Each structure stands twice: as C-alpha cells, then as structure tokens.
C-alpha cells in the first residue's frame, strides 16, 4: 500500500474518550440548529458516541492477522481462487457517512490458501475505519498479496454512498466500482482470467 495515500487515522493513537465524544456530538447538533433538549434527541449524543466505537473499531485491528496467514497448500497445486460478493459497510472519510456494497477477490496462490471466513474477517477490519472506496480495494489487494504471498490478486468493490443518496441531489441507486490488483493480475491474459472468476 502506498503510505502516502493512507489516512492520518490509519491507526488509533489515543484511547477513545466517550464523554468528550458525547459532548462534541451535542455541540455539533446544537451548532446545526437541532434542539438538543428535545426529548427524542436527549440520548442521541450518547448513542452516536457509542456507535463510533464500532464504526471505527478497525483502527486498532491488524488485517493480516485477521486473514490468518493462510494454510499451507498440500497435494495438487491449485489454480486461481475466488471469493465473491462479500458484503461490507464502511464510513466515507469525506462526510462520515456510510457506504456499502460487495467485495470480490481473486488470487493466484503460491504456497498459502485462506478460508472464506478469513476474507470476511480481514475485510471487516479494513472497512471499520474512515475510508475511501479506492483505498479499501487497494488495502485488500495489498493484504492478500503480502499475507498469503499470492502470485496475483484482483479485487473488485462496489459501493453505494450515502453522501450521494442522503444529501445533495439525493441520487438514489448510483453505484461506484473500484478495481485493485497486484502481481500477475496487473495485466494480460492472467488478469482477464481473474476478471472472469469474480464475474466481470
């Protein structure tokens, strides 16, 4: 991963302070004109602060460890492997609004394989951070390449952004897609094969 494109928040540097977070949420709500003393909004700052612990829990996570390092290949050498349509959700760092979709990964193993549940765990760590969809795809490709030593990795990510359908022009149903690759899947016939595996 190009560290120059990594967010400053790629790792947590301080212990979460829920009291300060709750106070900040209340101040924000008041600043944009909400009646923070209204009975239906009294508990909102606390709820938002608590939700943040889950939404950004990946800041302290290790995606390589979540992937598990893989299992050694034994017996017949496998061909390309794909894991398709793993659902995810994340928070866009531009507006702190959610985006969601599915992620598909194709990789050409060298010596290690990982299970479907391992991919899900790795994606959950990387998605539970302030993110950009392009960076998320790239971080997944890098983690699979480095952790499993894969000869090639291709990641396809779809995203529906709340900043598109919940604000502004409120464009409902628009979907953005991203691709990231490593190794032999950077181009050529191998990449075409990987695209077939993930349904592109």
């Amino acid at each position: 991963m190009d560290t120059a494109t990594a967010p400053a928040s790629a790792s947590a540097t301080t212990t979460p302070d829920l009291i300060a977070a709750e106070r900040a949420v209340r101040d924000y709500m008041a600043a944009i004109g909400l009646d923070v003393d209204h009975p239906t909004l009294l508990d909102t700052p606390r709820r938002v602060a608590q939700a943040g612990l889950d939404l950004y829990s990946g800041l302290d996570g290790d995606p390589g460890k979540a992937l598990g390092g893989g299992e050694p290949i034994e017996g017949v050498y496998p061909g390309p492997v794909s894991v398709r349509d793993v659902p995810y959700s994340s928070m866009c760092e531009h507006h702190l609004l959610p985006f969601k979709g599915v992620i598909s990964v194709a990789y050409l193993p060298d010596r290690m394989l990982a299970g479907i549940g391992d991919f899900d765990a790795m994606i959950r760590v990387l998605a539970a951070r302030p993110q950009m969809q392009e960076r998320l795809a790239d971080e997944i490709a890098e983690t699979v390449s480095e952790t499993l030593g894969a000869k090639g990795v291709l990641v396809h990510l779809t995203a529906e952004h709340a900043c598109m359908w919940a604000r502004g022009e409120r464009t409902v149903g628009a979907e953005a897609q991203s691709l990231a690759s490593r190794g032999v899947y950077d181009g050529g016939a191998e990449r075409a094969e990987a695209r077939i595996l993930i349904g592109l």
Side-chain angles (χ1 to χ4, degrees):
M1 179 181 64
D2 182 359
T3 55
T5 62
S9 57
S11 62
T13 57
T14 60
T15 301
D17 185 340
L18 287 177
I19 294 175
E22 182 175 342
R23 184 166 54 247
V25 172
R26 181 180 172 87
D27 289 346
Y28 167 75
M29 292 171 60
I32 61 173
L34 298 179
D35 179 3
V36 293
D37 294 318
H38 192 279
T40 62
L41 295 179
L42 282 176
D43 284 337
T44 298
R46 177 185 57 80
R47 293 185 182 119
V48 173
Q50 289 283 351
L53 293 179
D54 183 50
L55 292 171
Y56 307 114
S57 59
L59 289 171
D60 287 323
D62 182 338
K65 185 176 180 180
L67 189 58
E71 296 292 331
I73 294 171
E74 297 180 2
V76 178
Y77 178 78
V81 177
S82 68
V83 178
R84 292 177 56 171
D85 298 333
V86 178
Y88 78 95
S89 62
S90 188
M91 296 293 284
C92 175
E93 65 185 31
H94 294 152
H95 298 97
L96 294 185
L97 289 172
F99 64 97
K100 65 183 180 68
V102 296
I103 293 169
S104 297
V105 180
Y107 68 106
L108 183 60
D110 185 5
R111 298 173 304 279
M112 309 295 285
L113 291 168
I116 295 174
D118 299 327
F119 278 91
D120 182 69
M122 178 260 297
I123 289 168
R124 287 179 183 275
V125 169
L126 290 172
R129 302 173 176 180
Q131 274 289 9
M132 295 174 58
Q133 71 172 75
E134 298 85 358
R135 184 194 305 121
L136 179 57
D138 192 67
E139 288 178 343
I140 292 167
E142 182 71 8
T143 300
V144 175
S145 178
E146 291 295 319
T147 304
L148 300 182
K151 295 179 180 179
V153 183
L154 183 65
V155 176
H156 176 240
L157 179 152
T158 69
E160 295 183 40
H161 290 259
C163 61
M164 289 287 290
W165 57 257
R167 57 175 289 278
E169 298 299 322
R170 288 173 169 75
T171 305
V172 178
E175 181 182 82
Q177 302 187 35
S178 295
L179 283 174
S181 61
R182 295 291 189 279
V184 298
Y185 289 163
D186 275 341
E190 292 87 353
R191 184 182 179 94
E193 178 184 61
R195 288 175 64 94
I196 293 172
L197 283 171
I198 58 178
L200 293 179

